[in-house]
Amino acid sequence: YRSSGTNVIATKTGTKYPNQKYIICGHYDDMPEGTLAPGADDNASGTCAVMEAARLLAPLSFDYTLIFIAFDEEELGLIGSRAYADSSYNRGDSIKGVLNFDMIAWDGNNDYKMQIYSNSASVNYSTIARYVFNIYQPQLDLVFTVSNMSGSDHYYFWQRGYNAFCGIEYNNDFNPYYHTVNDNFS
């Protein structure tokens, strides 16, 4: 989308409604700037979720098109996702919903809580997603919050009127290694 940023995109075209799309996304850039920024939780965890979803869903057929995106430059101000959302909006793309995952690996107290952020316009969409989580990941304790949380890649989809949510670790158990060289696998 520009010389300093590259979004990585894979598309699985829908069989019945190929022009109507669902996006599963996360960002692959990390912090802090410098020679060592492992970014295991922020946001290799979200990128891994996108890749695993693509792997698991690849052999299946779907009515709607699925787009798997690893956004670049989230840490610099949501630049990659904004470019994508703006381009989609300007083309008139029919994006039915966005599932954004950011920092989903940390659970310091093993309570299985995950925060789901939705704006008021996406509550119905996010509620359906919550039901799906309850079926396929019943051990997760989802904390549902309606707000205008602007700190991740779902935000500019909201600004363009698309349904979206952000799945992120629970605020009361936030990764203490966030944006440090210690955000590593161990």
Side-chain angles (χ1 to χ4, degrees), residues 34-73:
T35 57
L36 180 63
D41 188 29
D42 186 19
N43 189 36
S45 62
T47 302
C48 287
V50 173
M51 292 170 61
E52 183 64 0
R55 185 187 72 80
L56 291 172
L57 300 175
L60 306 175
S61 293
F62 296 93
D63 289 347
Y64 299 89
T65 293
L66 302 180
I67 303 175
F68 306 92
I69 307 174
F71 288 116
D72 195 5
E73 298 185 322

Side-chain angles (χ1 to χ4, degrees), residues 87-160:
S87 295
S88 296
Y89 179 81
N90 291 334
R91 282 191 306 268
D93 288 356
S94 177
I95 297 174
K96 306 297 283 180
V98 177
L99 298 81
N100 176 48
F101 296 101
D102 192 350
M103 297 179 65
I104 58 171
W106 179 264
D107 187 8
N109 60 10
N110 297 315
D111 63 1
Y112 296 99
K113 288 186 185 236
M114 184 169 95
Q115 194 97 28
I116 299 289
Y117 283 101
S118 174
N119 68 349
S120 58
S122 300
V123 167
N124 289 338
Y125 169 72
S126 300
T127 299
I128 293 168
R130 280 176 57 190
Y131 291 134
V132 173
F133 272 100
N134 288 336
I135 293 168
Y136 293 101
Q137 293 295 324
Q139 73 277 17
L140 285 178
D141 180 6
L142 299 177
V143 178
F144 190 76
T145 304
V146 177
S147 81
N148 200 30
M149 194 274 271
S150 60
S152 194
D153 290 309
H154 62 284
Y155 180 72
Y156 283 106
F157 290 96
W158 285 350
Q159 298 304 300
R160 291 304 194 174

